[in-house]
């Protein structure tokens, strides 16, 4: 049967539909060009579980995630803090306390009172019914361990309260990995949580009366989720640990391609690329402190996150050329002692110049001893820190992480503490500050390259001694005009990069204020050039 002929109206409608279908892809293409593809996607592997991968090439400094915490509370090993804002508090009788439950607060009008991110009404009512088991134990005479155990409970209790009052949030927390079976095999870890958390909350606090159906297994799972997925945050003296909805999905690397900070106002995490990232590259952050050697860093990660890191830095005896774990060989004095097999904690350490070897247990004991010595020094005590560097320069190589830690403190306090303010410093002290800053920056450029907070801070510290020494050199006639100009150009470069990095930090943070100071100093120099 022949097809019926289309009317003029039908022909016009057909042409209109054809134009629409031809124009629609163009509009979609234009929209795709205007709106870049999402920065990342979630993938899964046997090694990482769920993890994030760059969905496209990402420039340094691109913001990937900004999100408020699902749960927040005091750190495990912290000193006593306010339950509303996590600022330090005392346990003496003069300290402000919550009228409802008796826990120490920074002030009666703390901004965190009644807030889900602080001391909520539900939490206050629960603690109020258990004053004898909680707040009344927080006294000056209470041992530090007992105080720590009580503060460790706070975030766990807050998450368990979500079970009743915020079930949607609680469900999101339960989706996170807990590694419960692996944790059960670690007898020390498991017994700690069984005794200090599970039994205490179920029997001493009788929490099952508040939360029907609460079982020990569920509580152990929450403890595991916190160990595996928590972030430690803090601004201006406050310290807290948090769970975030998606930031926990980033994989670990000891030389990561992202950096993160937190907003002092709402505790949001802000995560950015710290360097350029290739399409399909895994997005990573570090679960450990950068300035820590491989032996201790891997132990720390395994203890908290329950895996042995095998990243490129951990696998390299020289830690990517930073040599930040090297010891001085006490036999030949010219060689450096390093791990023979860094991915085996029990492997010997050996000299690269002679046959001398040391067992890893001996190395660990030595590092613990030196670290205890460093921890005993007041971070504002310049003579004591300088003496520490002298005492261990025949034991540790110049880039060793323990020496770098002391040098970092000196970088920050030279020019800032009484008796060592910048106008009071001798040229030798100023030169010393410059040297420490340069040595520290050289290592950070290897281990935390790009737009990282640590680089921004040390660059800001470095610009001052360079500037002062350049001015002194010109005034005394010991520096040529050409050398002076070269040094001023370096100051400009340092301030420019420091201002760029630190002003990425959230307003209200001390780093952001330092970034503004760097920008102001740069503007003044440019006005004089």
């Amino acid at each position: 049967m022949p097809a019926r002929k289309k009317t003029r109206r039908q022909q016009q409608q057909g042409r209109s539909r054809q134009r629409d279908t031809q124009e629609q892809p163009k509009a979609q293409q234009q929209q795709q060009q205007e709106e870049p593809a999402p920065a990342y996607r979630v993938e899964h592997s046997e090694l990482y579980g769920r993890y994030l991968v760059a969905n496209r090439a990402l420039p340094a400094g691109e913001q990937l995630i900004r999100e408020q915490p699902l749960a927040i509370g005091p750190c495990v090993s912290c000193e006593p803090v306010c339950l509303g804002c996590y600022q330090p508090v005392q346990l003496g009788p003069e300290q402000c306390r919550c009228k409802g439950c008796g826990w120490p607060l920074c002030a009666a009008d703390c901004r965190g009172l009644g807030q889900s991110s602080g001391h909520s009404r539900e939490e206050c009512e629960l603690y109020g019914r258990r004053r004898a088991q909680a707040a009344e134990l927080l006294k000056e005479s209470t041992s530090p361990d007992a105080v720590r155990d009580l503060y460790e409970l706070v975030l766990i209790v807050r998450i368990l309260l979500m079970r009743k009052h915020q079930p949607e949030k609680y469900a999101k927390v339960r989706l996170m990995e807990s590694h419960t079976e692996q944790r059960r095999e670690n007898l020390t870890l498991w017994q700690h949580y069984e005794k200090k958390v599970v039994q205490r909350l179920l029997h001493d606090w009788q929490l099952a009366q508040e939360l029907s159906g609460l079982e020990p297994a569920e509580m152990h799972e929450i403890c595991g989720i916190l160990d595996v997925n928590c972030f430690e945050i803090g601004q201006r003296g406050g310290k807290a640990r948090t769970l975030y909805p998606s930031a926990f999905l980033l994989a670990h690397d000891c030389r990561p391609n992202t950096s993160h900070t937190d907003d002092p106002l709402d505790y949001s995490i802000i995560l950015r690329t710290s360097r350029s990232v290739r399409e399909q590259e895994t997005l990573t952050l570090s679960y450990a402190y950068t300035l820590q050697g491989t032996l201790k860093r891997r132990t720390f990660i395994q203890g908290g996150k329950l895996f042995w890191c095998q990243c490129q830095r951990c696998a390299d005896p020289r830690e990517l050329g930073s040599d930040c774990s090297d010891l001085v060989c006490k036999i030949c004095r010219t060689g450096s002692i390093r791990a023979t097999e860094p991915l085996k904690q029990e492997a010997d350490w050996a000299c690269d110049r002679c046959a001398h070897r040391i067992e890893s247990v001996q190395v660990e004991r030595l590092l613990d001893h030196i670290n205890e010595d460093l921890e005993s020094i007041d971070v504002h005590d310049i003579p004591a820190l300088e003496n520490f560097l002298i005492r261990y320069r025949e034991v540790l190589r110049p880039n060793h992480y323990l020496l770098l830690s002391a040098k970092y403190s000196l970088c920050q306090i030279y020019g800032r503490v009484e008796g060592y303010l910048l106008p009071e410093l001798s040229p030798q002290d100023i030169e010393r500050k410059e040297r420490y800053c340069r040595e520290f920056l050289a290592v950070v450029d290897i281990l935390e390259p790009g737009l990282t907070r640590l680089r921004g801070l040390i660059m800001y510290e470095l610009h001052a001694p360079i500037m002062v020494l350049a001015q002194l050199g010109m005034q005394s006639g010991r520096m040529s005009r050409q050398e002076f100009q070269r040094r001023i150009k370096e100051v400009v470069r340092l301030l420019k990069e420091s201002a760029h990095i630190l002003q990425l930090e959230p307003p209200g943070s001390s780093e952001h204020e330092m970034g503004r100071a760097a920008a102001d100093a740069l503007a003044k120099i440019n006005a004089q050039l």
Side-chain angles (χ1 to χ4, degrees), residues 72-74 83-84 86 101 103 115 118-129 153-155 157-158 161 165:
I72 180 170
L83 291 193
Y86 315 107
C101 66
W103 277 71
Q115 303 298 316
H119 188 42
S120 68
R121 179 177 55 81
E122 294 83 8
E123 175 182 80
C124 185
E125 291 174 354
L126 176 69
Y127 290 156
R129 293 190 289 272
L153 295 176
V154 173
L155 183 51
V157 169
R158 287 180 178 180
L161 283 173
H165 301 287

Side-chain angles (χ1 to χ4, degrees), residues 177-187 189-190 217-218 220-221 223-225 228 302 306:
E177 182 58 69
S178 65
H179 294 310
T180 298
E181 292 309 314
Q182 291 172 261
R183 288 161 51 77
R184 194 187 299 273
E185 295 172 6
N186 185 329
L187 214 57
L189 184 70
W190 189 265
E218 188 174 346
H220 273 292
E221 183 184 354
C223 294
I225 285 170
V228 173
Q302 201 281 331
L306 300 177

Side-chain angles (χ1 to χ4, degrees), residues 48 80 105 114 122 259 311 313 343 379:
Y48 293 130
L105 299 173
E122 294 83 8
S259 62
C311 73
R313 178 183 171 187
L343 298 184
V379 294

Side-chain angles (χ1 to χ4, degrees), residues 195-370:
K195 178 182 177 182
K196 302 284 189 178
V197 177
V198 176
Q199 295 302 320
R200 189 170 192 174
L201 291 180
L202 283 178
H203 296 294
D204 296 354
W205 288 37
Q206 296 184 333
L207 206 60
Q209 294 180 4
E210 304 276 346
L211 305 168
S212 59
L214 183 61
E215 296 290 339
E218 188 174 346
M219 298 176 72
H220 273 292
E221 183 184 354
I222 297 303
C223 294
I225 285 170
L226 287 172
D227 276 354
V228 173
N229 301 285
C230 249
F231 287 78
E232 287 200 4
I233 65 169
Q235 297 279 2
R236 298 187 175 279
K239 289 183 179 179
R241 57 177 179 155
T242 58
L243 290 175
Y244 291 101
S246 58
F248 75 96
L249 290 170
L250 269 81
H252 163 79
D253 194 286
C254 292
R255 188 177 181 268
N257 53 27
T258 73
S259 62
H260 67 277
T261 187
D262 55 279
D263 192 310
L265 295 178
D266 64 2
Y267 312 108
S268 294
I269 191 170
I270 304 163
L271 191 138
R272 289 185 171 86
T273 52
S274 54
R275 57 175 174 79
S276 298
V277 177
R278 301 184 308 276
E279 184 177 354
Q280 297 190 29
E281 184 178 344
T282 301
L283 293 170
T284 59
L285 52 74
S286 179
Y287 299 162
Y289 183 44
T290 297
L291 293 180
Q292 198 173 32
T294 295
L295 186 67
K296 288 293 187 180
R297 198 176 61 253
R298 294 184 81 234
T299 299
F300 173 80
I301 295 168
Q302 201 281 331
K305 308 301 181 181
L306 300 177
F307 71 92
W308 290 106
C309 182
Q310 301 186 45
C311 73
Q312 187 180 3
R313 178 183 171 187
C314 286
D316 182 2
R318 296 191 59 191
E319 301 199 37
L320 306 178
S322 68
D323 296 329
C324 67
S325 288
D326 285 15
L327 310 176
V328 176
C329 178
K330 66 178 183 180
I331 302 301
C332 70
R333 313 303 299 175
T334 58
S336 294
I337 301 282
R338 302 188 186 105
T340 55
E341 297 179 82
L343 298 184
K344 292 183 179 180
Q345 296 295 98
E346 70 283 359
D348 285 351
W349 287 45
C351 178
D352 62 353
R353 294 287 183 89
C354 71
H356 183 53
R357 298 175 77 88
I358 309 176
E359 292 182 353
S360 63
V361 176
Q362 293 177 279
V363 174
E364 194 157 14
R365 278 201 295 263
L366 174 64
L367 295 177
D368 287 342
H369 168 73
I370 300 174

Side-chain angles (χ1 to χ4, degrees), residues 80 90-93 95 97 102 104 131-132 134-144 146-148 150-151:
Q90 301 299 317
L91 299 181
Q95 180 66 49
R97 297 239 174 181
R131 279 178 178 257
E136 290 180 7
L137 300 178
L138 291 170
K139 300 180 291 188
E140 283 183 298
S141 58
T142 306
S143 72
V147 172
R148 183 203 63 207
L150 277 169
Y151 274 95

Side-chain angles (χ1 to χ4, degrees), residues 36-103:
Y40 59 86
R41 64 181 183 274
V42 180
E43 293 201 351
H44 183 273
S45 76
E46 292 299 321
L47 179 63
Y48 293 130
R50 289 185 298 161
Y51 66 104
L52 303 185
V53 171
N55 210 36
R56 52 180 167 79
L58 304 173
E62 177 164 346
Q63 183 173 302
L64 303 174
I65 292 173
R66 182 183 180 117
E67 56 190 7
Q68 294 183 2
L70 274 176
I72 180 170
C75 296
V76 172
S77 58
C78 71
E79 298 294 319
V81 296
C82 172
L83 291 193
C85 65
Y86 315 107
Q87 291 294 320
V89 295
Q90 301 299 317
L91 299 181
E94 71 285 352
Q95 180 66 49
C96 175
R97 297 239 174 181
C98 176
K99 293 181 179 179
C101 66
W103 277 71

Side-chain angles (χ1 to χ4, degrees), residues 413-417 419-426 430 433 464-465 468:
I413 60 178
Y414 265 124
R416 285 199 174 89
V417 296
Y420 293 91
L421 298 175
L422 200 57
E424 304 168 346
L425 292 180
S426 67
I430 299 172
K433 172 164 180 159
V468 172

